[in-house]
């Protein structure tokens, strides 16, 4: 059996391997593990430049867009004024499709990345359920975009990923990204939703 070394503690006959419940059940039933190397789904360790990307940053460097990500933020209890009480987990289903090159001028110019920040408003929606306006600082951990991190991710992909070898990195698109902040394209969507809710 081939195991990832960071999941093993100790060496030799005393070595212990950490296995999740799903994999343990598959092994017990003599079934193929879903993410096993033999199933062509194990990709190894994710490079640091890609592992640290936030969701908006992932979308900016991606060749494919989800139909839409919808985030619903609400306090886990009545302490709505404390950001530590906001919901933090993300779950759901996402369908991917190849971008429509006839409809996106950017793609007509070639394999130009990152995508312009304005594209985020089409694929990310944020709804906050609460009586007060959601402070921008509460959004930063999930929706921040860092210009340097996006650039380093693209350079990593261009050098080490066959799909990205012919991309052109757009200085214009990079310069339009915030140094380290929530893009206005996302922030406006949150503000617009808040105004709609408060008018009701």
């Amino acid at each position: 059996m081939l195991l990832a070394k960071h999941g093993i503690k100790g060496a030799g006959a005393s070595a212990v391997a950490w296995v999740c419940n799903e994999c343990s059940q598959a092994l017990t039933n003599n079934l193929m593990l879903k993410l096993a190397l033999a199933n062509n789904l194990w990709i190894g360790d994710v490079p640091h430049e890609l592992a640290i990307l936030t969701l908006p940053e992932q979308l900016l460097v991606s060749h494919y867009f989800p139909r839409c990500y919808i985030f619903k933020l609400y306090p886990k209890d009545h302490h709505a004024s404390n950001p530590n009480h906001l919901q933090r987990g993300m779950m759901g289903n996402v369908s991917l499709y190849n971008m429509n090159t006839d409809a996106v001028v950017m793609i007509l110019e070639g394999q130009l990345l990152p995508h312009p920040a304005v594209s985020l408003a089409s694929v990310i929606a944020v709804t906050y359920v609460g009586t007060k306006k959601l402070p921008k600082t509460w959004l930063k951990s999930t929706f921040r975009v860092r210009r340097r991190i996006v650039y380093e991710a693209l350079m990593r992909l261009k050098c080490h990923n066959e799909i990205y070898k012919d991309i052109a990195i757009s200085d214009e698109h990079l310069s339009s990204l915030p140094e380290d902040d929530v893009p206005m394209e996302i922030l406006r969507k949150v503000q617009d939703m808040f105004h709609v809710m408060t008018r009701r």
Side-chain angles (χ1 to χ4, degrees), residues 55-74:
L55 176 64
E57 291 168 346
Q58 292 175 32
L59 296 176
L60 289 170
V61 304
S62 177
H63 271 308
Y64 300 90
F65 270 1
R67 193 67 176 180
C68 187
Y69 278 101
I70 301 176
F71 291 85
K72 190 174 184 180
L73 306 178
Y74 58 91

Side-chain angles (χ1 to χ4, degrees), residues 85-127:
H85 292 271
L86 283 177
Q87 174 181 308
R88 293 187 176 183
M90 293 184 289
M91 63 181 298
N93 299 317
V94 177
S95 298
L96 300 180
Y97 65 98
N98 205 342
M99 291 185 65
N100 184 350
T101 57
D102 294 327
V104 185
V105 174
M106 175 194 61
I107 299 300
L108 291 177
E109 297 173 356
Q111 294 205 45
L112 203 57
L113 291 173
H115 299 294
V118 68
S119 64
L120 295 174
S122 300
V123 292
I124 295 180
V126 182
T127 301

Side-chain angles (χ1 to χ4, degrees), residues 34-46:
K34 183 187 299 183
L35 299 180
L37 177 63
N39 205 24
N40 296 319
L41 287 177
W42 172 248
I43 61 173
D45 294 330
V46 178

Side-chain angles (χ1 to χ4, degrees), residues 125-157:
V126 182
T127 301
Y128 172 60
V129 180
T131 58
K132 297 180 180 179
K133 188 174 181 179
L134 181 64
K136 184 174 73 170
T137 53
W138 292 10
L139 296 168
K140 193 169 183 179
S141 62
T142 302
F143 301 106
R144 71 195 299 194
V145 167
R146 298 156 292 179
R147 185 186 305 168
R148 180 181 61 83
I149 298 300
V150 170
Y151 172 75
E152 291 176 354
L154 285 172
M155 288 300 297
R156 170 79 192 195
L157 289 166

Side-chain angles (χ1 to χ4, degrees), residues 19-36:
V19 181
C20 69
N21 289 332
E22 184 177 354
C23 291
S24 177
Q25 291 177 7
L27 290 171
T28 301
N29 296 319
N30 199 28
L31 298 174
M32 173 76 74
L33 278 63
K34 183 187 299 183
L35 299 180

